[in-house]
Amino acid sequence: MECVVQGIIETQHVEALEVLLQGLSGVPKERVRVHELCLKSGPNLGVVPSEVRLLCDLAQATPSWTIRHVGGAMRGAGAEQISVLVRTVVESKASKNVLHYFYTLGYKLDHEILKIGFAFRFHRGAQITVTVTSANKMPRLHATDEAMPVTPGIQLVEITAPAADDNYNDVVSAVTAFCEFLAPLLHLSKPGHSTGIVATAGAAAASLMSSGGGKTL
């Protein structure tokens, strides 16, 4: 399982967010360049459609592939009362032949994007990953070198943390608490429930950049 929240931030404020995250985490950022392919099952695989994502990490010297399947979100009264989405996720490393393998099974490519940005991975009550990326589309199939931003002025911020049946409440609390530090710059909520740009982002970004913000908090 994983706990996840998302938000958007104007590209002009991303540098300030990076300064803040550096200070909060105390770890160096990691470069993100991920080619994400979304595959959907064909009719030969049953009447219930399934979706799988193949992630190719292009930031590494030797690109590596990961299969990722996102399951259903936790439901019930308890799930409605928390601001973090808790969902099942299955990931597995794969060889470079994985795309051909899924095509052979009967899956079809639905869409592909290139995510470019950075990430911070650290422990703060839970193992938290903050990813800041722009989504880029390809003019031709798999032409990652020609990718262009889908929304040039906006970037996606995603916070995730692994969880289990016996500790997800603690992880939710840790993620919620961390989100409070970022509140002056962006709203973070369950995926699909974006509340837009924060009115205080400009002033908060200017304050962070003027103070340097590089100290670990």
Side-chain angles (χ1 to χ4, degrees), residues 8 35 45 50 53 70 76 82 105 109 114 128 138 176-177 207:
I8 56 174
H35 183 195
L45 294 173
S50 67
R53 293 178 184 270
V70 177
I82 59 177
L105 289 178
L109 178 64
L114 180 66
I128 293 174
M138 275 72 76
T176 302
S207 177

Side-chain angles (χ1 to χ4, degrees), residues 28-104:
K29 71 175 181 180
E30 301 175 16
R31 190 166 73 98
V32 172
R33 186 177 175 84
V34 175
H35 183 195
E36 180 176 303
L37 301 96
C38 177
L39 306 180
K40 292 191 175 181
S41 59
N44 62 308
L45 294 173
V47 294
V48 179
S50 67
E51 179 180 297
V52 66
R53 293 178 184 270
L54 305 182
L55 312 177
C56 183
D57 186 353
L58 300 175
Q60 306 299 321
T62 302
S64 61
W65 288 86
T66 301
I67 305 169
R68 178 176 171 87
H69 178 263
V70 177
M74 187 177 71
R75 297 184 178 184
E80 295 298 323
Q81 294 171 6
I82 59 177
S83 58
V84 176
L85 183 71
V86 182
R87 64 189 182 189
T88 58
V89 172
V90 178
E91 286 191 348
S92 177
K93 294 296 182 182
S95 73
K96 63 182 180 181
N97 299 319
V98 64
L99 182 57
H100 176 72
Y101 172 74
F102 274 97
Y103 282 163
T104 303

Side-chain angles (χ1 to χ4, degrees), residues 3-7 17 20-21 24 83-84 122 124 128 130 157-160 171-190 198:
C3 298
V4 57
V5 290
Q6 293 179 344
L17 176 60
L20 178 57
L21 290 171
L24 290 169
S83 58
V84 176
F122 53 92
R124 196 178 180 111
I128 293 174
V130 184
V157 181
E158 184 175 74
I159 298 180
T160 59
V171 177
V172 165
S173 296
V175 171
T176 302
F178 184 76
C179 289
E180 292 297 320
F181 290 109
L182 309 185
L185 282 174
L186 73 157
H187 290 299
L188 289 156
S189 56
K190 296 177 180 178
V198 176

Side-chain angles (χ1 to χ4, degrees), residues 161-177:
D165 289 336
D166 59 351
N167 77 339
Y168 73 84
N169 279 319
D170 294 335
V171 177
V172 165
S173 296
V175 171
T176 302

